[in-house]
Amino acid sequence: TDQRHTFSAVIDYKLFETWELSIRGFYGSGYAFTPSTALWDQKAGYYKWISGDKNTDHYPAYERVDLRISKEFSLFKNPLLVYIDVLNLFGRENILSYKYTYDNAGNLKVDMNKLFGLIPTLGVSWSF
């Protein structure tokens, strides 16, 4: 996994007695991966993907900021929390992996498998 640096921070702010605002930030340096390079295959007459040395390159850094607004209620004398989350607030394109393929014409192609973009969610949590 070889992620050299990770950092996370949380800021919670009570807006009113039953309202809360939370901001969470995450940073992680890129994981190591094994890159592939193109090599001309003289016998076949086209380029082939060849794996390089194991874990000699790193993906870009992972960065994400999440925002949550929550309101607490009481339901049967137990706390009920209703919240709206916005994950990856700034829509950062985080790379999960690279996929080495060929397009329809047989040309070399590197596809990036990206993690989710901005995701809004609505949630309810009831403790009893």
Side-chain angles (χ1 to χ4, degrees):
T1 54
D2 190 29
Q3 186 177 45
R4 303 285 170 105
H5 307 95
T6 57
F7 176 78
S8 64
V10 178
I11 298 171
D12 286 324
Y13 183 73
K14 204 145 193 93
L15 297 169
F16 304 103
E17 188 175 326
T18 59
W19 286 87
E20 192 169 300
L21 175 69
S22 178
I23 299 172
R24 299 171 190 265
F26 305 93
Y27 170 86
S29 58
Y31 286 109
F33 75 98
T34 303
S36 290
T37 55
L39 183 66
W40 179 257
D41 185 329
Q42 188 68 22
K43 192 187 301 184
Y46 57 85
Y47 281 97
K48 290 186 177 180
W49 286 113
I50 305 296
S51 290
D53 293 332
K54 186 173 181 166
N55 294 333
T56 56
D57 206 349
H58 286 80
Y59 292 112
Y62 175 88
E63 299 170 351
R64 191 176 99 204
V65 174
D66 300 340
L67 177 71
R68 173 182 277 198
I69 298 174
S70 59
K71 167 103 168 101
E72 189 173 305
F73 299 93
S74 181
L75 182 63
F76 304 117
K77 297 183 181 179
N78 293 312
L80 173 73
L81 188 69
V82 177
Y83 58 88
I84 297 173
D85 270 335
V86 180
L87 305 178
N88 198 5
L89 181 64
F90 300 113
R92 172 92 164 115
E93 290 186 344
N94 291 300
I95 306 298
L96 175 64
S97 64
Y98 295 119
K99 183 178 177 185
Y100 300 93
T101 61
Y102 300 92
D103 65 13
N104 291 338
N107 298 314
L108 300 170
K109 183 177 170 185
V110 179
D111 291 323
M112 293 183 286
N113 294 322
K114 299 175 186 175
L115 292 169
F116 59 84
L118 182 135
I119 298 179
T121 59
L122 178 63
V124 176
S125 174
W126 184 42
S127 299
F128 54 93

